[in-house]
Amino acid sequence: MRTLIRNAQCTLPDGTRQTDVLIENSSILDVAASTATQADEVIDAAGLTLLPGVIDDQVHFRDPGLTHKEDLHTGSLACAKGGVTTFLEMPNTNPATISRAALIDKLKLAAGKCVVNYGFYMGATPDNIGELQQQDRTPGIKIFIGSSTGNLLVDEQAALERIFAETTLPICAHCEDEATVRANSEQLGGGHSYADHSRIRDHRAAVIATQRAVDLALRHAHRFHVLHVSTADELPILTDHGGLLTAEACPHHLLFNIEDYDKLGSLVQMNPSIKTAVDNAALWRALTDGRIQVIATDHAPHTLEEKQRPYPQSPSGLPAVENSLALMLNAVHQDRCTLEQVVRWMCDAPARVWDIVNKGRIAPGYDADLVLVDLRRRHTIRNRDQVTKCGWSPWDGVALTGLPVRTWVMGQTVFVDGKLDSAIRGQEAQFDHARGGYWATECRS
Ligand code: DOR
């Protein structure tokens, strides 16, 4: 099967230009102005822009165990609608992904119900080092250095030292310092308002844990990715990377701050907490100057009923995978960044950080994971339109310019004309860790 996408503006590794893209089965065969090419299907994409599919390296899809909030099918449909063609999912499911057997079970589950491509992290516990040493078929190891949803936590120094010393897979971590969070919580009597969440999980908690994790990574010369950086204060820690460190920011930490609790309450209660407008601006600058390389969502669905509980019973987390690309296209429309930067942060960099084979670029030989976007299309995010099982978005009512209109996963159209094809199946992403990560591969400036 050959599909020819004609006349789109294509974001290619060497710049954006109008060209044709020829897909053969699941791969990109050619990128060239090739009007005479024979194809089974020809799509005229004039006026639209073709991007590599987004790779979201941090989502929580709740399957197995918490499937009243989301499952691998609904989470993957939300991806397809949002232009996300590959997701990497976190281990805090029930059971948690802390053994080879649990990883294989999740991969099997995903093969049966995911409409986009998938990969699953191995979760660290204080005593599962043997499991962490054996793993292939995974992007890497996730450590909750601070606790969040679920009960995965490793905050004892000896256990952390062992994980960094005795494993080779890349490591990423949720960095909020447990002791600081506990002390702040006690001081505030457990917290009484949603806004207290940012006082309990404060700047200090983030900085202490990020510094601690980065020290471990540098001492053990271990590749390390700092998940969801939320403060300006962590940024100086990220500059001395020595080729080992990468970092990411999430749309909610770029776009929301503590002023939003008044209107949105627990809908913006997240771990790490949202911070201040000063932090928003600093995170944007860090993306622009390359101290942060990746944008990922930390898509963390909970039902509205759960979210409406009083603080601190309200769970932390918000859904975003369905809207992250549109939010960033809107940022392009507002001149906050360029389209090429968005592609770099959301498509190219995650593929390099996690050594994902043949993804993240529009180039011959790469997988045909693609998203066609209309940069001029105006639309409003509405709870009623959300396909995530939790059925809401913290951006409900927000008007944006720029929308994904068609998504291909391994050459198959999974989303077009506002409709999802739930029969499509994605594939297990392949990780080639011998590549050595983001800094070991050429990266475009
Ligand atoms: O707010 C959060 N919720 N942060 C996390 O890191 C985990 C997530 C969840 O799984 O609910």
Side-chain angles (χ1 to χ4, degrees):
M1 168 83 180
R2 284 187 169 194
T3 302
L4 181 64
I5 306 169
R6 294 194 55 199
N7 302 322
Q9 288 291 326
C10 296
T11 51
L12 305 174
D14 60 353
T16 302
R17 62 175 184 275
Q18 186 170 324
T19 187
D20 295 351
V21 172
L22 183 64
I23 301 172
E24 187 174 59
N25 301 323
S26 60
S27 306
I28 297 170
L29 187 65
D30 201 6
V31 179
S34 51
T35 43
T37 307
Q38 292 280 325
D40 305 289
E41 181 187 31
V42 178
I43 292 154
D44 184 6
L48 301 175
T49 303
L50 191 69
L51 318 179
V54 169
I55 299 170
D56 192 327
D57 81 7
Q58 193 187 177
V59 303
H60 301 266
F61 282 169
R62 315 300 193 199
D63 198 353
L66 298 158
T67 52
H68 67 288
K69 299 174 195 270
E70 190 79 282
D71 62 54
L72 284 164
H73 186 60
T74 56
S76 71
L77 287 171
C79 285
K81 182 181 159 207
V84 177
T85 51
T86 301
F87 67 81
L88 305 182
E89 207 251 3
M90 288 296 163
N92 59 334
T93 43
N94 187 12
T97 322
I98 53 175
S99 66
R100 174 92 180 162
L103 175 68
I104 302 294
D105 283 350
K106 236 186 201 184
L107 286 166
K108 279 193 196 140
L109 209 53
K113 52 176 157 171
C114 281
V115 303
V116 301
N117 308 310
Y118 46 86
F120 299 100
Y121 293 93
M122 283 293 300
T125 73
D127 49 20
N128 73 338
I129 197 111
E131 302 283 350
L132 304 179
Q133 285 165 335
Q134 290 169 30
Q135 302 309 327
D136 53 358
R137 300 180 73 184
T138 179
I141 297 166
K142 162 77 181 277
I143 311 178
F144 283 88
I145 291 181
S147 58
S148 190
T149 303
N151 53 13
L152 287 177
L153 174 67
V154 187
D155 74 336
E156 276 203 9
Q157 192 64 20
L160 288 168
E161 296 282 353
R162 277 197 74 196
I163 296 167
F164 276 86
E166 296 176 28
T167 66
T168 56
L169 284 169
I171 296 177
C172 60
H174 180 117
C175 297
E176 286 182 294
D177 183 57
E178 261 315 274
T180 307
V181 169
R182 246 182 266 130
N184 288 341
S185 177
E186 270 163 36
Q187 204 177 1
L188 283 165
H192 305 285
S193 71
Y194 300 124
D196 279 344
H197 194 64
S198 291
R199 301 183 184 103
I200 291 172
R201 291 178 177 261
D202 63 358
H203 286 70
R204 259 172 48 87
V207 172
I208 291 171
T210 296
Q211 184 69 64
R212 186 178 179 203
V214 166
D215 285 348
L216 280 156
L218 296 181
R219 265 192 297 108
H220 293 285
H222 201 122
R223 272 170 61 188
F224 181 62
H225 183 69
V226 186
L227 297 165
H228 41 42
V229 177
S230 63
T231 69
D233 305 355
E234 287 157 282
L235 298 173
I237 305 170
L238 306 178
T239 47
D240 180 20
H241 52 72
L244 292 171
L245 300 183
T246 48
E248 86 190 24
C250 300
H252 53 273
H253 290 130
L254 294 165
L255 300 172
F256 290 128
N257 59 55
I258 51 174
E259 308 295 324
D260 292 300
Y261 281 119
D262 277 351
K263 184 166 164 234
L264 294 169
S266 65
L267 301 187
V268 288
Q269 180 192 325
M270 238 357 246
N271 302 335
S273 67
I274 53 168
K275 304 293 192 308
T276 68
V278 170
D279 297 292
N280 296 148
L283 294 176
W284 279 106
R285 276 197 305 279
L287 278 161
T288 306
D289 67 26
R291 281 172 294 169
I292 294 180
Q293 298 78 21
V294 172
I295 290 183
T297 60
D298 195 7
H299 177 89
H302 299 283
T303 66
L304 270 180
E305 183 269 321
E306 291 164 339
K307 287 296 266 184
Q308 278 154 5
R309 292 174 194 155
Y311 193 80
Q313 283 85 41
S314 46
S316 295
L318 55 82
V321 79
E322 192 164 342
N323 301 301
S324 56
L325 178 57
L327 288 161
M328 293 307 295
L329 297 179
N330 189 60
V332 172
H333 173 73
Q334 294 172 329
D335 281 334
R336 301 187 81 165
C337 57
T338 67
L339 187 64
E340 289 73 18
Q341 285 173 317
V342 169
V343 167
R344 196 166 159 188
W345 300 331
M346 301 184 83
C347 313
D348 191 305
R352 285 155 183 281
V353 168
W354 299 108
D355 304 314
I356 306 176
V357 178
N358 287 343
K359 295 200 188 295
R361 290 184 172 189
I362 301 177
Y366 275 65
D367 291 339
D369 293 335
L370 299 164
V371 56
L372 202 55
V373 302
D374 184 342
L375 293 174
R376 290 182 299 256
R377 180 84 72 89
R378 297 169 69 140
H379 61 107
T380 300
I381 297 176
R382 295 284 180 208
N383 281 354
R384 62 172 179 267
D385 299 330
Q386 302 302 295
V387 301
T388 169
K389 198 184 276 188
C390 72
W392 61 276
S393 164
W395 289 282
D396 178 48
V398 172
L400 303 176
T401 301
L403 185 70
V405 294
R406 182 169 186 145
T407 308
W408 288 265
V409 169
M410 302 301 279
Q412 317 161 91
T413 298
V414 62
F415 174 68
V416 67
D417 295 333
K419 292 193 188 62
L420 288 155
D421 183 344
S422 59
I424 298 287
R425 290 293 169 265
Q427 291 185 13
E428 178 180 345
Q430 304 298 312
F431 306 98
D432 177 7
H433 293 305
R435 289 178 179 204
Y438 184 85
W439 301 104
T441 51
E442 176 216 355
C443 55
R444 286 177 283 134
S445 55

